């Protein structure tokens, strides 16, 4: 059982480049979320989805897009990378509100 | 606004002593409460949750947490700390059934041998 799989694990981008962070889960979970983790800031919500075809913005959505065409996949797109987007990104999924969320291993992104 | 506060950035405790990591929340209604642990260069691992019922919930690795509705707190506890408990601990709240988790800023626990 793979759980939540994030790719890549590490990435270096130049300012202005675009890229997609992949997230896939094999648990048939309805809820999926993207967070970024910065020192002293905890985890901040970027975007989330409560099911295929449904997405919504979180606390820090600017510069990021998401889509949820299938239950399994929830990619995060950086449109034009900026140094402020240097962070560790985590994808999470859960089956419903009273169950725990499962997290991927994270993607460490550096924008130079 | 919904928020979670972890008032201590760092908690230091001697091995074998009891530990407490504090968490308070500001959410209307009856939220779901969670604790997660993060080891270096890893994702977050679930420890325990409070949904309803008994105010004292038990979780993984000997951890437990006490829910106090009047104080809107959900402190994490362990009777006897281990060096291997040293990690970053996050308190999180889900304000309602279909909303995402809101996290505190985390507390770094250091258990000293």
């Amino acid at each position: 059982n793979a759980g939540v799989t994030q790719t890549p694990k590490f990435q270096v981008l130049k300012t202005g480049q675009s890229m997609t962070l992949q997230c896939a889960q094999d648990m048939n979970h309805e809820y999926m979320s993207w967070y970024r983790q910065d020192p002293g800031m905890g985890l901040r919500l970027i975007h989330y989805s409560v099911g295929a075809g449904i997405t919504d913005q979180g606390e820090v959505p600017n510069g990021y897009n998401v889509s949820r065409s299938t239950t399994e996949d929830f990619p995060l797109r950086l449109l034009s990378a900026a140094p402020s987007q240097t962070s560790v990104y985590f994808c999470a999924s859960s089956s419903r509100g009273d169950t725990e969320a499962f997290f991927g291993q994270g993607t460490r992104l550096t924008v130079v | 606004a919904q928020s979670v506060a972890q008032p201590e950035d760092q908690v230091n405790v001697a091995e074998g002593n009891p530990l407490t990591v504090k968490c308070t929340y500001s959410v209307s209604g009856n939220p779901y409460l969670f604790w997660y642990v993060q080891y270096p260069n890893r994702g977050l691992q679930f420890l325990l949750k409070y949904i309803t019922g008994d105010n004292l919930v038990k979780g993984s690795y000997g951890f437990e947490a006490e829910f106090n509705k009047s104080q809107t707190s959900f402190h994490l506890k362990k009777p006897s700390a281990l060096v291997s408990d040293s990690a970053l601990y996050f308190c999180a709240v889900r304000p309602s059934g279909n909303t995402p988790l809101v996290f505190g800023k985390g507390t770094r626990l250091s258990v000293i041998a």
Side-chain angles (χ1 to χ4, degrees):
Chain A
N1 191 344
V4 179
T5 303
Q6 289 184 236
T7 56
K9 288 186 171 53
F10 301 93
Q11 183 70 49
V12 178
L13 287 179
K14 294 182 178 180
T15 298
Q17 286 184 317
S18 62
M19 78 160 295
T20 299
L21 278 63
Q22 301 292 343
C23 176
Q25 52 92 8
D26 61 359
M27 298 171 282
N28 202 33
H29 286 171
E30 290 297 318
Y31 301 152
M32 296 187 75
S33 305
W34 275 103
Y35 294 87
R36 59 177 290 173
Q37 182 179 20
D38 302 291
M41 303 291 288
L43 276 77
R44 293 182 292 169
L45 181 67
I46 304 172
H47 286 284
Y48 66 100
S49 169
V50 299
I54 306 169
T55 63
D56 206 347
Q57 296 181 350
E59 180 185 355
V60 288
N62 292 340
Y64 308 95
N65 274 356
V66 291
S67 60
R68 184 93 181 272
S69 56
T70 67
T71 299
E72 294 78 20
D73 299 301
F74 192 44
L76 178 71
R77 298 182 185 85
L78 279 70
L79 308 174
S80 177
S84 61
Q85 293 179 304
T86 293
S87 186
V88 181
Y89 292 83
F90 288 102
C91 179
S93 74
S94 61
S95 59
R96 60 179 193 268
D98 61 349
T99 59
E100 62 269 27
F102 292 80
F103 283 79
Q105 292 299 296
T107 296
R108 185 175 296 274
L109 176 69
T110 302
V111 183
V112 298
Chain B
Q2 301 150 353
S3 64
V4 177
Q6 293 181 241
E8 302 153 319
D9 292 335
Q10 173 98 25
V11 170
N12 298 318
V13 63
E15 187 176 32
N17 281 4
L19 69 87
T20 298
V21 183
K22 296 179 180 178
C23 172
T24 59
Y25 62 93
S26 176
V27 174
S28 59
N30 298 308
Y32 303 140
L33 300 162
F34 300 83
W35 275 101
Y36 287 84
V37 60
Q38 184 182 34
Y39 297 99
N41 301 313
R42 302 295 298 274
L44 276 71
Q45 298 177 28
F46 168 74
L47 277 180
L48 50 78
K49 66 182 178 182
Y50 175 82
I51 304 302
T52 188
D54 193 351
N55 289 344
L56 184 66
V57 293
K58 296 186 183 297
S60 306
Y61 312 120
F63 284 93
E64 57 190 29
E66 186 168 12
F67 170 66
N68 188 317
K69 186 171 185 177
S70 63
Q71 297 185 3
T72 62
S73 67
F74 190 53
H75 301 330
L76 182 70
K77 301 181 180 183
K78 187 173 183 181
S80 179
L82 300 172
V83 172
S84 57
D85 293 330
S86 299
L88 187 57
Y89 290 81
F90 288 99
C91 181
V93 61
R94 180 171 277 132
S96 65
N98 62 351
T99 56
L101 290 168
V102 176
F103 282 87
K105 293 186 177 182
T107 298
R108 187 164 301 280
L109 173 66
S110 180
V111 181
I112 304 161

